[in-house]
Amino acid sequence: MFYIAFRMLVGDRGKFLGIILGLSFASLIMTQQPGIFVGIMSRAYSFVTDLGLPDIWVMDPTVQYIDDIKPMPDTYLYRVASVPGVAWAKPLFKGTIQARLHNGTFQTCNLIGLDDATLIGAPAIMIKGRIQNLRRTDGIIVNEEGALDKLANPPAYPGGPKIPLNIGQEIELNNHRAVVVGIARTTRTFQSQPVVYTTYSNATFFTPPQMNLLSFVLVKAKAGEDLQALCNRIFRLTGLKAYTKSQFEDLTVKYYLKYTGIPINFGVSVILGFLVGAAIAGQTFYNFTLENLRYFGVLKAMGTSERTLLYMIIFQALIVSFIGYGIGVGCTGLFNFLTQDSMVAFRFPWQLFVFSVVGVFIISSFAALLSIRKVIQLEPAIVFKS
């Protein structure tokens, strides 16, 4: 019976391909669009992800997300370091600064100030130069994207390619000379602005005069220390909010989900893809069943049970589901491959596989139910009608 069901399904190639097209489109939209959404959200907290050494981030209690900087007095660093259970506490400056390029234009950059002694928070992958070179006078490390594009030198001739920023070159940060001592590879940020690393003392020199410069305190817990208990202890003894790395990432994501239109825009795209796929697959599968009612009637007249006919329709729905899902996910994988190392933000966690499987299953079930209802109500005498 399953062979007969398969032959019936592929007998009309036009409708067979139409069903697969609808399911493939739905599968593609339900994986590609959420993948871009997850990629954008991961870029929102990419700076936290890149700093793998600290266990806890300490900040002003009113901070809502990673870029919501509330400067604190430097004395808070010593208060946090004195909390029981803290192995070490290091300062981190994070802010924005205007860089003046060689052609006279200005570019906004993210400036990161690292602890002078340990350089904790420095990029993990250096393409050129060494992290230790940051201790040189006015030394800075620029991320790869910034060096290749927004901070690059003007073209050698009109219309030519930009000349990448290189070690030894100078740029101007807030009217102060800065020397490039390294190029680093970092995760792209949400706003795709160049990232400039320097020492904490240099950061105080580059930035405009202000009372407080301490953005975050990076904390390493002692071995065996419960991180959540330590976070609560820091808050109780200092009044500062402390988050583990995953909690700080979640805080950032929740802010963007609540206060931006990003989830709504992507949600609308996914819903439209689901509805269009359901409409195409459901209508085509139903028409396919209508055109094959005579064959189902013959099988019923020959004594085939309704349960067997039900299994045949489910079998047909599963075939087109697997093929459509495979094509859709395959196209998403191809999209991921083609957009690697580009401005497109894309991540494909395993949860998206589950999400798209459930979506395609719902569409296929809807299409199968329409057909099952028609077959169950079918009278075998239809085969004798002209």
Side-chain angles (χ1 to χ4, degrees):
M1 288 299 177
F2 291 125
Y3 175 76
I4 296 175
F6 178 76
R7 295 299 300 174
M8 291 170 59
L9 181 64
V10 300
D12 190 335
R13 293 186 178 180
K15 288 187 170 54
F16 176 64
L17 294 177
I19 299 171
I20 291 178
L21 177 64
L23 292 174
S24 299
F25 177 76
S27 176
L28 172 63
I29 296 299
M30 287 188 293
T31 51
Q32 189 247 12
Q33 289 296 303
I36 295 178
F37 172 74
V38 173
I40 291 176
M41 290 296 98
S42 64
R43 285 189 180 181
Y45 57 77
S46 62
F47 180 68
V48 181
T49 306
D50 286 347
L51 272 66
L53 190 58
D55 295 322
I56 294 173
W57 290 65
V58 182
M59 63 205 73
D60 186 277
T62 60
V63 169
Q64 301 179 77
Y65 63 106
I66 181 63
D67 292 320
D68 183 29
I69 307 298
K70 303 292 196 308
M72 303 175 291
D74 288 346
T75 54
Y76 278 33
L77 172 65
Y78 307 106
R79 295 179 60 184
V80 174
S82 64
V83 174
V86 173
W88 50 254
K90 302 300 178 184
L92 181 74
F93 171 83
K94 186 177 188 296
T96 58
I97 196 169
Q98 291 290 326
R100 184 182 178 91
L101 308 183
H102 294 282
N103 58 1
T105 61
F106 290 87
Q107 171 63 52
T108 301
C109 302
N110 290 321
L111 181 65
I112 310 299
L114 312 175
D115 176 55
D116 290 55
T118 62
L119 298 180
I120 289 177
I125 302 176
M126 294 295 298
I127 300 176
K128 296 181 180 180
R130 299 169 62 245
I131 294 175
Q132 291 76 9
N133 294 340
L134 273 183
R135 296 192 177 97
R136 295 181 180 177
T137 305
D138 301 331
I140 61 171
I141 292 176
V142 180
N143 71 325
E144 183 181 21
E145 289 77 18
L148 294 176
D149 185 14
K150 294 185 177 180
L151 295 180
N153 299 293
Y157 54 89
K162 292 182 178 180
I163 302 175
L165 192 68
N166 212 335
I167 290 179
Q169 290 188 280
E170 298 180 4
I171 61 175
E172 189 177 296
L173 297 179
N174 193 32
N175 297 322
H176 295 286
R177 168 182 174 269
V179 181
V180 178
V181 297
I183 306 295
R185 179 168 296 160
T186 61
T187 305
R188 290 181 182 269
T189 61
F190 180 73
Q191 299 169 331
S192 296
Q193 292 177 341
V195 181
V196 176
Y197 294 86
T198 189
T199 60
Y200 192 82
S201 57
N202 276 340
T204 62
F205 177 70
F206 290 141
T207 55
Q210 51 186 304
M211 183 179 299
N212 301 320
L213 284 173
L214 183 64
S215 304
F216 301 101
V217 177
L218 305 180
V219 171
K220 185 70 174 180
K222 292 182 178 179
E225 188 74 27
D226 182 83
L227 296 184
Q228 187 56 55
L230 181 55
C231 289
N232 296 336
R233 193 179 308 134
I234 292 173
F235 177 69
R236 186 175 66 254
L237 296 178
T238 67
L240 301 176
K241 200 65 179 177
Y243 298 101
T244 64
K245 184 169 69 171
S246 60
Q247 288 174 340
F248 197 22
E249 293 173 354
D250 291 341
L251 181 72
T252 300
V253 171
K254 289 178 182 178
Y255 176 86
Y256 283 101
L257 292 179
K258 184 176 180 180
Y259 294 105
T260 70
I262 296 176
I264 296 177
N265 293 330
F266 280 96
V268 169
S269 298
V270 173
I271 292 174
L272 287 178
F274 176 84
L275 294 178
V276 171
I280 296 175
Q283 181 65 31
T284 308
F285 198 83
Y286 181 71
N287 290 337
F288 157 79
T289 303
L290 290 180
E291 293 188 0
N292 287 278
L293 278 180
R294 287 183 175 273
Y295 301 109
F296 285 113
V298 169
L299 293 174
K300 217 170 186 182
M302 294 172 61
T304 304
S305 65
E306 291 184 349
R307 176 177 294 182
T308 301
L309 296 178
L310 172 64
Y311 289 157
M312 291 175 63
I313 294 176
I314 294 176
F315 176 71
Q316 292 171 338
L318 288 176
I319 289 178
V320 294
S321 296
F322 281 121
I323 296 176
Y325 173 76
I327 294 175
V329 172
C331 291
T332 302
L334 179 63
F335 174 84
N336 183 28
F337 175 77
L338 296 176
T339 56
Q340 285 182 342
D341 300 323
S342 70
M343 293 292 292
V344 178
F346 187 83
R347 286 191 65 186
F348 203 4
W350 64 268
Q351 291 88 343
L352 288 187
F353 284 99
V354 178
F355 174 75
S356 58
V357 165
V358 172
V360 171
F361 174 77
I362 293 175
I363 294 175
S364 302
S365 300
F366 168 73
L369 285 174
L370 293 177
S371 302
I372 288 171
R373 181 174 177 272
K374 196 69 177 179
V375 172
I376 295 300
Q377 296 176 346
L378 175 66
E379 293 294 335
I382 193 174
V383 300
F384 303 108
K385 294 182 180 179
S386 57

